[in-house]
Amino acid sequence: MQFGIFTVGDVTTDPTNGRTPTEAERIKAMVAIAVKAEEVGLDVFASGEHHNPPFVPSSPTTMLGYIAARTERLILSTSTTLITTNDPVKIAEDFAMLQHLADGRVDVMMGRGNTGPVYPWFGQDIRQGIPLAIENYALLHQLWREETVDWEGRFRTPLNGFTSTPRPLDGVPPFVWHGSIRSPEIAEQAAYYGDGFFANNIFWPKEHFQRLIDLYRRRYAHYGHGTAEQATVGLGGQIFMRRDSQAAVREFRPYFDNAPVYGHGPSLEEFTDQTPLTVGSPQQVIEKTLTFRESFGDYQRQLFLVDHAGLPLKTVLEQLDLLGEILPTLREEFARQRPAAVPDGPTHAARVAAARDGAADPAAPA
């Protein structure tokens, strides 16, 4: 089981003092958070991709490349790479380059994002969101696996005898997650290729994501990649901890109430009851996180959002210290219940070893 954090990279005014960090401060804070994540024993740091205020991570590979030079063990991932509005050729090259710089410690999560205007900004039509996601990923998948590519589709100019460079490290592309909060077509796409499916269940009740994950697991087995239980699933969530649970609620409430993503909606109590958001003591975070297995089955990766809504860097680093304290318990409890047939979270080393042993490409359509 892999544990980590993801960031949406928002620049948000701290509602307790009215101070807004500069873009430079926020970007450097994200780097400090990633370095701290490795220090406390987490496995993964993931960054979103956004091209509009109040968010700053418009170039995730630039940030992850810098973090790669500051870390040794951390898996570096995106929590969204916009497969609909980025050129698949550029994605192929950028992430292969990052693979080499990070010695393979690279994943990528494909998604369509949650900002409608991004489509015309990059010359695309939002009404073609699903077809773009399907076609662009098909091309990306081919670019990483074939030395010379001839290709023609609906949404970009043809390729004739094209080779993307550099080639994936050790001949093994980055592991791909397909992220979705609402689209069964994306769950189907992840299952078809035998890729991972990431349900960023920070907004809606668990029943919604149970349906998506169940669909992905069934179709993963249908396409011959393994049993439904062996499908690779990741989950998102948000936590805020203090030693005293009431102190945690008091401190976090103004940040929740003014959050740019879900503020000014349901109350903190309603949101905590209906979604994975956990605000309380470390023991409460342990207990609620362990219930995710009951809802979604055994899964491979749990990412937490800890730096959203204007929380100051000092507070975020304190959250990471607390998360580091409960990590051994979370690892032990998830491992204790995990069937032997359920695979571990994906790593570059394991995938290279599987390729050398002659195993089929885990991300190849059956």
Side-chain angles (χ1 to χ4, degrees):
M1 181 72 167
Q2 296 170 341
F3 292 93
I5 57 173
F6 71 101
T7 180
V8 295
D10 59 307
V11 178
T12 302
T13 300
D14 185 331
T16 67
N17 60 23
R19 185 180 185 281
T20 305
T22 66
E23 290 181 329
E25 288 172 333
R26 185 67 174 101
I27 290 167
K28 291 180 179 179
M30 292 163 66
V31 173
I33 290 165
V35 172
K36 182 71 170 182
E38 178 167 278
E39 178 186 315
V40 302
L42 289 166
D43 305 302
V44 183
F45 173 83
S47 171
E49 177 187 348
H50 298 276
H51 298 274
N52 58 292
F55 307 100
V56 293
S58 58
S59 179
T61 52
T62 303
M63 170 167 287
L64 295 178
Y66 184 77
I67 293 171
R70 301 281 304 276
T71 56
E72 297 179 355
R73 182 186 53 81
L74 203 62
I75 296 172
L76 306 172
S77 180
T78 52
S79 48
T80 306
T81 291
L82 299 179
I83 188 61
T84 47
T85 51
N86 282 306
D87 183 359
V89 172
K90 195 70 169 75
I91 296 176
E93 295 179 337
D94 282 353
F95 282 89
M97 177 70 77
L98 182 57
Q99 261 196 319
H100 287 271
L101 290 172
D103 297 323
R105 297 181 287 127
V106 175
D107 286 355
V108 58
M109 187 186 301
M110 302 301 171
R112 291 180 293 135
N114 59 5
T115 307
V118 74
Y119 285 82
W121 294 342
F122 289 87
Q124 299 295 351
D125 183 345
I126 192 172
R127 294 170 295 183
Q128 300 297 324
I130 292 293
L132 274 164
I134 293 170
E135 180 177 298
N136 283 356
Y137 183 63
L139 174 55
L140 175 61
H141 190 275
Q142 185 177 353
L143 288 166
W144 273 338
R145 286 164 177 81
E146 296 181 16
E147 194 82 21
T148 305
V149 172
D150 295 306
W151 182 89
E152 186 172 350
R154 291 174 55 195
F155 298 109
R156 61 151 293 143
T157 53
L159 297 175
N160 296 301
F162 178 77
T163 299
S164 68
T165 60
R167 303 302 300 152
L169 180 65
D170 301 316
V172 175
F175 185 81
V176 172
W177 302 84
H178 298 260
S180 178
I181 61 172
R182 60 187 176 271
S183 303
E185 296 92 341
I186 302 304
E188 174 76 15
Q189 183 183 41
Y192 174 75
Y193 287 101
D195 294 335
F197 181 69
F198 190 88
N200 191 11
N201 57 331
I202 64 172
F203 296 115
W204 293 352
K206 65 183 179 183
E207 291 78 12
H208 170 78
F209 292 99
Q210 283 175 323
R211 290 191 289 271
L212 281 176
I213 290 173
D214 287 346
L215 170 64
Y216 161 68
R217 289 187 183 277
R218 291 196 310 271
R219 300 300 288 172
Y220 181 95
H222 167 80
Y223 287 117
H225 299 296
T227 67
E229 293 73 20
Q230 293 171 326
T232 306
V233 173
L235 298 177
Q238 184 174 4
I239 57 176
F240 186 86
M241 291 179 281
R242 288 303 184 200
R243 302 290 181 189
D244 175 78
S245 60
Q246 294 306 309
V249 172
R250 284 195 303 271
E251 184 176 349
F252 188 67
R253 188 180 300 279
Y255 295 98
F256 175 88
D257 289 345
N258 293 278
V261 174
Y262 48 53
H264 312 289
S267 70
L268 175 59
E269 286 73 18
E270 291 170 325
F271 214 85
T272 302
D273 180 61
Q274 296 178 28
T275 77
L277 173 65
T278 311
V279 181
S281 67
Q283 184 59 36
Q284 287 174 310
V285 170
I286 291 172
E287 291 171 359
K288 188 163 183 177
T289 302
L290 292 176
T291 67
F292 298 166
R293 179 182 177 275
E294 300 169 9
S295 300
F296 305 108
D298 289 287
Y299 62 107
Q300 283 73 22
R301 181 172 291 183
Q302 175 67 56
L303 299 184
F304 296 108
L305 179 62
V306 297
D307 70 333
H308 180 48
L311 287 165
L313 177 60
K314 177 178 180 294
T315 301
V316 175
L317 298 180
E318 292 167 352
Q319 293 299 301
L320 290 173
D321 280 327
L322 291 169
L323 184 53
E325 290 180 18
I326 66 175
L327 265 179
T329 301
L330 288 172
R331 292 191 193 279
E332 180 181 349
E333 289 301 311
F334 273 101
R336 183 175 61 81
Q337 303 177 65
R338 191 183 196 87
V342 174
D344 294 330
T347 66
H348 182 73
R351 300 179 74 231
V352 169
R356 288 175 178 167
D357 289 343
D361 182 350

